[in-house]
Amino acid sequence: MNITISLVLLLAVGVVLLLRFKAVGAGAAVVVALFGFYLAGTDAADTVNQLVTAVTGALADAGR
């Protein structure tokens, strides 16, 4: 049985938990979100997508 969860959803849950447990402040969370938003518009976006795809593929194969 495969369960697919959006990586964005998982990261959002992580940010909410970090904010809830005061591991990071709201200002830092906003700065990181903006950094990710602007990074997505650069030439580095393709490299980041390939890296995330490779890591998630490796994790999926390791679970088998």
Side-chain angles (χ1 to χ4, degrees):
M1 178 170 87
N2 288 336
I3 299 175
T4 304
I5 299 174
S6 171
L7 185 57
V8 174
L9 178 62
L10 288 175
L11 292 173
V13 169
V15 170
V16 168
L17 289 173
L18 287 171
L19 287 169
R20 177 165 171 79
F21 295 114
K22 298 190 188 319
V24 68
V30 169
V31 168
V32 170
L34 288 173
F35 174 72
F37 178 78
Y38 285 110
L39 180 65
T42 67
D43 291 336
D46 290 333
T47 305
V48 171
N49 283 332
Q50 290 172 354
L51 176 65
V52 170
T53 301
V55 170
T56 55
L59 289 174
D61 289 342
R64 293 180 191 184

